[in-house]
Amino acid sequence: MKKSLSAQELYLKSVRHTNYKILFWRISLFLIFIVSWELCARCGIIDSFIFSSPSKLIRCLNSMLFEQHLLEHIGITLFETIVSFFLVIAVSLVFAVLLWKSRTLSKILEPYMVMLNSLPKSALAPLLIVWLGASYKTIILTGMSVAVFGSIMSLYTGFMEVDPEKIKLIYTLNGTGSDALYKVILPANIPNLLSIMKVNIGLCLVGVIIGEFIAARQGLGYLIIYGSQVFTLVHKQILYSFFL
């Protein structure tokens, strides 16, 4: 006799079926996009010189891996991004704690933090490079500048939104400010910190690439600028030959 499934087993089976269905459609949409892109490029529906094609991208990737040391450039950019990311988290935690401990300090610095966070970081990067010189340390600082001010404000806001009754309970039990910080404030803000980290890793990468655009001879930002210059030169040559 066939054994009937329990409600829990039916639920787990339904969840697995849904997950497989989502995975199938994700892969299918990606493959449809790649195949359509390739066919449109081969049939002349789109200009393969402007939009390229998957096959050309694979050949270009293979060429860059062996001729232009692509992995080395990726490694440099990743190193600068990871260093700037961890520095942003450390600096943000330190400053958020200082602002939480001193309400006077937070009121003094709040307008400056808002102003610094609203600055266009692409305009700040050239100033940092002029002031500090063109080096990987300056590029790391550029990556930090994109994320650090927003992170400090987000963490400080999270600290201030913790239930004050819990902090009052710590003090009622003869606890100190450090007890309130380590036993209430920081644990309550772990989800907030994780959300900030998810955003910051992308922001730090953007900041690092902006720095590499301006003053670098290695990294993905340098490769992007180099590729755009080569593309512009080739495009001008094609236009010149067309008019001749």
Side-chain angles (χ1 to χ4, degrees):
M1 180 181 291
K2 187 176 180 181
K3 183 180 178 181
S4 60
L5 297 177
S6 65
Q8 182 181 8
E9 290 173 331
L10 288 172
Y11 172 75
L12 293 175
K13 183 178 179 181
S14 173
V15 169
R16 285 195 297 269
H17 176 73
T18 303
N19 290 336
Y20 291 145
K21 184 179 179 180
I22 291 172
L23 180 63
F24 168 78
W25 281 111
R26 284 177 175 174
I27 296 174
S28 298
L29 288 174
F30 176 75
L31 292 176
I32 290 170
F33 170 74
I34 294 297
V35 172
S36 301
W37 184 10
E38 181 70 26
L39 290 176
C40 288
R42 289 179 180 270
C43 297
I45 299 175
I46 60 175
D47 189 345
S48 62
F49 177 77
I50 302 295
F51 296 98
S52 190
S53 66
S55 58
K56 287 186 176 181
L57 288 177
I58 292 173
R59 290 196 296 270
C60 180
L61 176 63
N62 183 63
S63 173
M64 292 182 70
L65 282 173
F66 295 102
E67 296 177 9
Q68 299 187 27
H69 307 288
L70 178 61
L71 293 179
E72 181 181 345
H73 291 284
I74 293 174
I76 290 169
T77 299
L78 285 179
F79 168 75
E80 294 167 343
T81 301
I82 291 171
V83 172
S84 64
F85 169 74
F86 282 111
L87 287 175
V88 165
I89 297 302
V91 171
S92 300
L93 281 171
V94 170
F95 273 88
V97 169
L98 290 176
L99 294 175
W100 175 78
K101 282 183 173 292
S102 175
R103 303 299 171 84
T104 303
L105 181 64
S106 67
K107 290 179 180 179
I108 293 172
L109 295 181
E110 184 177 1
Y112 296 101
M113 297 296 298
V114 172
M115 180 186 67
L116 290 171
N117 187 47
S118 62
L119 282 175
K121 305 308 183 296
S122 57
L124 186 61
L127 294 177
L128 292 175
I129 291 168
V130 170
W131 292 339
L132 304 175
S135 67
Y136 75 94
K137 295 179 182 178
T138 307
I139 294 173
I140 289 173
L141 189 60
T142 304
M144 291 180 61
S145 69
V146 174
V148 68
F149 303 114
S151 297
I152 293 172
M153 294 179 63
S154 297
L155 275 176
Y156 173 66
T157 302
F159 286 3
M160 297 303 296
E161 290 177 351
V162 174
D163 187 359
E165 297 298 324
K166 295 180 180 179
I167 300 174
K168 189 182 295 184
L169 178 62
I170 293 290
Y171 290 127
T172 303
L173 298 174
N174 295 324
T176 63
S178 298
D179 293 325
L181 176 65
Y182 293 115
K183 295 180 180 179
V184 177
I185 299 296
L186 291 179
N189 276 274
I190 288 177
N192 185 31
L193 180 60
L194 292 176
S195 299
I196 291 171
M197 292 171 69
K198 291 178 183 178
V199 175
N200 281 352
I201 189 65
L203 292 177
C204 289
L205 177 60
V206 170
V208 164
I209 290 179
I210 289 173
E212 291 176 345
F213 280 167
I214 302 168
R217 293 295 177 267
Q218 291 177 310
L220 293 178
Y222 164 75
L223 284 182
I224 293 171
I225 290 296
Y226 174 77
S228 65
Q229 291 172 344
V230 171
F231 177 82
T232 301
L233 179 62
V234 172
H235 192 248
K236 286 182 178 179
Q237 290 176 344
I238 291 175
L239 289 176
Y240 180 74
S241 61
F242 175 78
F243 285 110
L244 285 181

